[in-house]
Amino acid sequence: MEEIGIDVHAHHHVDPVVEYKASKLGMWLFLATELLLFGGLFAAYAIFRAKYPEMFHEEHKELDRTIGAINTVVLICSSLTMALGVASIQRGKKKLLSLFLLLTILFGIVFGINKYFEYGHKFEHHIYPSTSIFFALYFMMTGLHMLHVLAGVLVLTALLILSLKGKFSENYYTPIELGGLYWHLVDLIWIYLFPLLYLIS
Amino acid sequence: METKAHIEEHHVGYTTYVLVWLALMVLTGITVWVSYLHFGVFNIVVALLIASIKASLVALYFMHLKFEDKTTWIFVLYPIVLLALLIGLTAVDVFFRTTP
Amino acid sequence: MANHTVAETIHVPYLEEKGILSWILSTDHKRIGIMYLVSISTFFVLAGIAALLVRLELLSPGKTIVDAHTYNVLFTFHGSAMVFLFIVPGIAASFGNFLIPLMIGARDVAFPRLNLLSYWLYLLGTVIILFSLLKPADTGWTFYTPYSIQTGTDVILLTFGVFILGFSSILTGLNFIVTVHKLRAPGMTWHRLPLFIWSSYATAILQLLATPVLGITLLLLIAERVFGIGFFDPAKGGDPILFQNFFWFYSHPAVYIMIIPAMGVISEVIPVFARKPIFGYKAIAYSSLAIALISFLVWAHHMFVSGMSEVAATVFSFLTFLVAIPTAIKVFNWLATLYKGSIELRTPMLYALSFIFLFTIGGLTGVFLGTLAADVHLHDTYFVVAHMHYVMIGGTVMGFFAALHFWYPKMFGKMYNEAVAKVAWFLVFVGFNVTFFPQFILGMEGMPRRYADYPPQFHTLHEISTIGSWILGLGILIMALNLLRSLTNGEKAPDNPFNSLSLEWQIPSPPPHENFEKIPHVTDWTYGYGKKNNQEG
Amino acid sequence: MNWLPEEASNLARNVDTVIWFVTIISLVFFFLITVVLVFFAIKYRRKSGEDETPYITGNHFLETLWTIVPSILVLVIFAYGFIVFKQMRTPPQEALEINVIGKQWLWQFQYDNGKTTINELYVQQNRPVKLIMRSEDVIHSFFVPAFRVKQDLLSGMYTYLWFTPTKVGVFDLYCAEYCGAAHSKMLGKVIVMSPEAYERWRKGEEREEQKGVASISPVQLGEQLYQQRGCNACHTIDGTPSVGPSWKGLFGHEVTLQDGTKVTADENYIRESILEPQAKLVKGYQPVMPSFKGILTDEEISAIIAYIKTLK
Ligand code: HEA
Ligand code: HEA
Ligand code: CUA
Ligand SMILES: [Cu+2]
């Protein structure tokens, strides 16, 4: 992730404003590809749900709504702290930024722990990706999402370290914005996964 | 193209963020509640509608899409169109197959 | 035209620094472009040698040199290496990297380090694919399920390698889009951009938005093999045609990823050697975009007899014809550019004209395949093989060779031997047609593709085709030797040997590290050739 | 100069007309483009470095023209292709239904009278046939060039195609979807018979084969079956290993199995190999041989064994 845009003093001497705008556009393009990466899974979901409605209805009961809902709330909160982090550095509040980054990371970790138990629970009940199409979708969708959470946590940790070193200020916070955009996308995808997988009625 | 070393940017305030967060929490509550009601096929429609409202809130405010330029908007909207086409046209295949 | 400054201060040509590290750690777009050029050419030769073996096996019915399984491995390697290692990165990554910043008047691409990462990912992908050769896959380059789930060969490594290459392709596309949007020199408005930039931009959109779907499809295929999930496996309630839908959602746009950059090259070469402004600039520019947008909607024309629904087949056939139109527009505009020109048949121009001739054949035969009733007979026969080689070699590779001869002096600061280059062109042109034209006939007669062996009635045509492949190989060999020799023995190239007006020719050959000492201020478009009088501008 | 194969079904003529229609339009454009290209390249050849060229950047009329004309033409092509396609996908009610099973790497045909044939499809002249097809493993594709028909076979889903054979004769059948090692050996024949001959075959009274059984030796019958039943797709008789082991020198010799044990290839072993191929796998080969239980009669198996015995 860091590849994108930390180049303030890049050797090609691009104007910092152009640099900033370019980096943000680049990040949005990257998010577009992420959307289509998940897109294949959403398409598979749509097709198989229409094909096997009963299977989806029956098997989704194995999923734990409460954990799903808690994780939704956790991610939404993490999105808030992330947004607040960006807002604080825009106003030059460096300490606040570090605090919000830390909170975001913690929420991310809580999400991961929940998922760990959720998967463990499934395996105990001998539910695997090969169990059925529904669970294949469940594991692939949440698994790919989990990988993104993991990547996000790593990126945010790197940003936290840089932030603690005082690298960012109201004049330079591009990486924070980009990290934030990425993190919000992770939240955004979960916003769809939650009703699609856990709340089939 | 920009030449001035000056970032003209809209800064969203803390309160806006908190309000958006509140809305997201409320919508999450609604979507769980609604899933216990029975509208038949409309359940999924409602669920997706709520999810889309939530997603738009995140994109517009948390991600500042509201304040981005046209280029960014195009590169956000076109992939969504493509995704719809991927699903839609594949469905045209899968659900119109004739059996002998 | 742009006011340019020839190096006065110490401007080191980008090729100067020696040592392997100075290359593989370089973020200079020109060096990355050259590294891509070398890599893709290597794989072109390797995959080409596999093709020669494929042709040799088909020289006569029965077993000629290899058994059926080895044959299947050979065409799988040939197809997947040509597609994923050569032609998809192809012109876009090699010439695109080298030229985009030069043509728009920038010092580098928007994200130089990301650019280097793309190249490393490309290398990583190739290494993985080469490893897969320990137990080479035999699925064809299309990896159709359920065969690709069941075969005992190493499909996982191959598809994983392609997955990594996909990332490389995505990041390159991303980089180019941002570069074109944000780094154009002052005065370089959209309607002054060279057409190569327009085509690179359109290609980048395709790379960015189509590749992720291939990525997830291959991941799912790997998951089918590793975890036993069953999206594509009918035995588990899955749908094998769904795989085809996903695969072609990428792979049809991919054929335009292959061809659009070549079209960009042709749009650059023709005006220079006809000394005429390009005819219908806007139509050519926007038709690239149109192709990029429409080409997402035609994927299932590869599946008319797959068991997909007839409704979908009809929709897709209809949409397929729509993409023929923007392409037609380009062909006619190129022809019109020649009108009243002052045409010089240097090697790049010969390849460019061959492109028009051969690609027209390839494109028109594509129309046969897009026609529902005709495709039922022609699908999966050698007609398709001939079609794809006419567009991929007659189109893209001709464009690639044109680019190679056109920008060679700029890239390496040396001239190649023109006479030898023309001989090579002649052999390539003749050899290509002898190899692939008979395959149209074979296909019409019903010869299926991917056949290690064939009934005797197809013998003569296969024989001609195989002989053609030797002529073609010889031509490429001579071309390669000529270019390689010129690296050391060639005459020093002038800065602008072909009197082109576009920016990259206004700086030294080879260009200095920084490209432009001062960022140029652009005041006119790139195609101001010819005498302006009362004609509208 | 006709590059298309003989037209032997009712559909062939229509498909060919479509192909010719597209060919003619293509040839017009092809010649137009080539002539213009060559003409310009010669006429406007550079004479000197000082040649003056006009500054022409476009022409709205021409550009509109060459957008509109191809657009109209492709729409016509589309419509024509669609009309014939529709016909190809609409079997008549009275069509005779035959079940087709594709598996690696042979074709199996099941008729309404309970008959089963391998790699040979028997149909009657001028009588519409509808093939109801499925695969037992990977995708295959039923392709008869002379009929201009092609359709993939999938497992887990039926597909169909239809045609009316119009000429008596024997026509090539290919598998057109890549299906593994012996894809190019997955060949068959479609045998179109006159109504009388077909009736005889159907009743099975005077089946040509049966007449044969009486008059030819088991070894000859075995050799015939080797061809007809598709053993030759995987087994050679000259000693070169293919998908399966060669039959040359098989009988009476020791065979090493997957688990390292050795067995002698006697009558029982060969019989078991044919009926339950997966029971004893030969070392170095994949478990891909289909079972011929219910396809080959005891008599036929004996004939094959007799034939294998002769291959020394
Ligand atoms: C560079 C790559 C490239 C390009 C540019 C194209 C271009 C086109 N292709 Fe091709 N195609 C391939 C690469 C490419 N293709 C490959 C690799 C395969 C095989 C994959 C596999 O199975 O392994 C394939 C297969 C393929 C099929 C599937 C065949 C089958 O398996 O049954 C079809 C079917 O519709 C098709 C159609 C077309 C069409 C309509 C175009 C159009 O874009 C062509 C448009 C151009 C013209 C039409 C010519 C110029 C126009 C004029 C001169 C104007 C006048 C024209 C008219 C009035 C018609 N292609
Ligand atoms: C960019 C794409 C590309 C290119 C350039 C080529 C180039 C060639 N292809 Fe390719 N081909 C494909 C893409 C391509 N192919 C694809 C996608 C398939 C489908 C695979 C599948 O079904 O899965 C295919 C399938 C395919 C088949 C069908 C196999 C089958 O279905 O059974 C055949 C058969 O003739 C063939 C032949 C050739 C030949 C002779 C060349 C020649 O042009 C090659 C020329 C190059 C060289 C010869 C190398 C250069 C050599 C030197 C520099 C020196 C060495 C020379 C000598 C020793 C003489 N190809
Ligand atoms: Cu069966 Cu190819
Ligand atoms: Cu296509």
Side-chain angles (χ1 to χ4, degrees), chain D residues 63-78:
Chain D
E63 290 180 51
T64 318
L65 183 75
W66 63 54
T67 309
I68 305 270
V69 171
S71 302
I72 295 173
L73 285 174
V74 292
L75 287 183
V76 177
I77 296 176
F78 160 73

Side-chain angles (χ1 to χ4, degrees), chain C residues 85-358:
Chain C
L85 299 179
F86 166 63
I87 201 171
V88 164
I91 296 177
S94 56
F95 289 96
N97 256 314
F98 189 90
L99 292 171
I100 290 175
L102 296 179
M103 281 182 160
I104 65 174
R107 295 214 198 282
D108 207 324
V109 292
F111 312 114
R113 285 198 265 160
L114 189 68
N115 203 14
L116 184 61
L117 178 67
S118 300
Y119 181 70
W120 285 351
L121 285 175
Y122 173 84
L123 276 190
L124 179 64
T126 58
V127 169
I128 294 176
I129 288 179
L130 290 179
F131 260 105
S132 81
L133 292 182
L134 292 176
K135 204 177 170 196
D138 66 340
T139 56
W141 80 283
T142 48
F143 313 122
Y144 273 17
T145 55
Y147 185 72
S148 56
I149 305 175
Q150 293 171 9
T151 174
T153 56
D154 206 335
V155 180
I156 295 181
L157 270 190
L158 175 58
T159 47
F160 189 66
V162 172
F163 176 78
I164 300 285
L165 290 170
F167 268 97
S168 161
S169 189
I170 288 175
L171 295 181
T172 303
L174 186 156
N175 217 334
F176 287 178
I177 294 179
V178 178
T179 306
V180 174
H181 269 287
K182 303 291 182 196
L183 297 190
R184 280 169 287 129
M188 182 59 94
T189 57
W190 284 92
H191 285 160
R192 282 179 187 160
L193 283 176
L195 288 166
F196 182 74
I197 301 297
W198 274 99
S199 69
S200 300
Y201 181 76
T203 310
I205 293 179
L206 288 172
Q207 287 180 300
L208 185 80
L209 298 181
T211 320
V213 178
L214 176 73
I216 190 70
T217 310
L218 296 179
L219 272 189
L220 289 177
L221 178 57
I222 293 172
E224 303 248 337
R225 284 185 74 105
V226 177
F227 301 123
I229 68 169
F231 292 167
F232 306 135
D233 189 350
K236 299 192 173 106
D239 181 350
I241 307 181
L242 188 64
F243 176 86
Q244 300 177 19
N245 275 308
F246 284 4
F247 180 82
W248 291 112
F249 183 87
Y250 165 77
S251 292
H252 182 81
V255 311
Y256 295 101
I257 293 177
M258 304 169 190
I259 196 71
I260 298 181
M263 292 168 158
V265 171
I266 303 309
S267 307
E268 295 303 319
V269 170
I270 287 184
V272 171
F273 292 96
R275 305 225 63 73
K276 280 268 312 291
I278 189 85
F279 189 95
Y281 171 87
K282 285 189 189 168
I284 295 184
Y286 290 120
S287 63
S288 293
L289 276 188
I291 293 175
L293 300 186
I294 308 173
S295 66
F296 280 105
L297 310 182
V298 306
W299 75 79
H301 63 211
H302 296 267
M303 303 156 49
F304 289 152
V305 300
S306 66
M308 76 184 299
S309 83
E310 281 124 42
V311 183
T314 310
V315 172
F316 279 106
S317 169
F318 178 78
L319 293 168
T320 296
F321 287 108
L322 294 188
V323 271
I325 304 303
T327 315
I329 293 173
K330 285 187 207 264
V331 172
F332 295 128
N333 280 331
W334 290 325
L335 280 182
T337 305
L338 297 176
Y339 174 68
K340 289 202 172 165
S342 162
I343 297 170
E344 191 185 7
L345 293 180
R346 301 277 290 256
T347 314
M349 188 62 162
L350 286 175
Y351 280 114
L353 298 182
S354 317
F355 174 104
I356 300 183
F357 176 78
L358 299 174

Side-chain angles (χ1 to χ4, degrees), chain D residues 83-305:
Chain D
I83 291 167
V84 174
F85 181 67
K86 194 81 205 144
Q87 184 203 9
M88 298 174 87
R89 299 302 300 159
T90 319
Q93 285 294 308
E94 74 276 13
L96 176 73
E97 292 191 356
I98 298 173
N99 282 309
V100 182
I101 297 165
K103 55 182 164 185
Q104 284 168 325
W105 287 276
L106 55 84
W107 302 96
Q108 195 174 323
F109 303 99
Q110 294 168 342
Y111 305 82
D112 56 345
N113 60 356
K115 265 195 199 308
T116 300
T117 57
I118 303 283
N119 288 348
E120 285 177 351
L121 170 62
Y122 292 87
V123 290
Q124 177 187 336
Q125 188 191 13
N126 292 332
R127 165 116 191 242
V129 204
K130 179 175 173 188
L131 304 181
I132 298 179
M133 314 197 290
R134 69 182 171 87
S135 159
E136 280 196 352
D137 34 54
V138 301
I139 306 178
H140 305 276
S141 192
F142 182 97
F143 176 33
V144 182
F147 296 168
R148 314 287 188 276
V149 292
K150 184 181 290 124
Q151 176 62 52
D152 285 7
L153 288 71
L154 304 159
S155 60
M157 181 182 145
Y158 288 96
T159 54
Y160 69 92
L161 75 79
W162 81 278
F163 56 86
T164 309
T166 51
K167 287 188 181 159
V168 173
V170 179
F171 301 97
D172 287 328
L173 156 65
Y174 301 112
C175 175
E177 181 63 60
Y178 176 67
C179 53
H183 164 58
S184 60
K185 293 283 176 60
M186 194 166 156
L187 310 175
K189 297 276 178 217
V190 182
I191 294 139
V192 183
M193 302 191 269
S194 63
E196 307 79 51
Y198 185 76
E199 214 35 52
R200 257 180 280 136
W201 173 82
R202 226 174 100 80
K203 294 215 186 80
E205 285 158 2
E206 290 175 59
R207 207 171 52 168
E208 318 290 319
E209 291 170 41
Q210 270 193 348
K211 259 200 289 184
V213 176
S215 61
I216 63 174
S217 70
V219 174
Q220 280 169 319
L221 176 63
E223 187 173 5
Q224 260 181 23
L225 291 167
Y226 168 71
Q227 307 279 352
Q228 284 170 358
R229 297 296 187 247
C231 316
N232 61 349
C234 305
H235 297 283
T236 66
I237 48 172
D238 60 2
T240 40
S242 174
V243 179
S246 175
W247 284 355
K248 186 173 177 173
L250 168 63
F251 192 84
H253 284 254
E254 243 181 21
V255 178
T256 314
L257 300 181
Q258 205 94 357
D259 53 12
T261 54
K262 294 197 158 91
V263 291
T264 308
D266 55 13
E267 282 87 349
N268 281 328
Y269 168 75
I270 292 182
R271 189 184 153 80
E272 185 185 8
S273 292
I274 296 172
L275 296 178
E276 272 163 53
Q278 262 61 284
K280 295 202 178 92
L281 287 180
V282 184
K283 195 178 163 113
Y285 292 91
Q286 303 289 323
V288 291
M289 175 166 158
S291 163
F292 286 86
K293 197 180 273 174
I295 297 174
L296 292 176
T297 62
D298 281 346
E299 186 192 1
E300 286 169 332
I301 292 176
S302 308
I304 290 175
I305 295 174

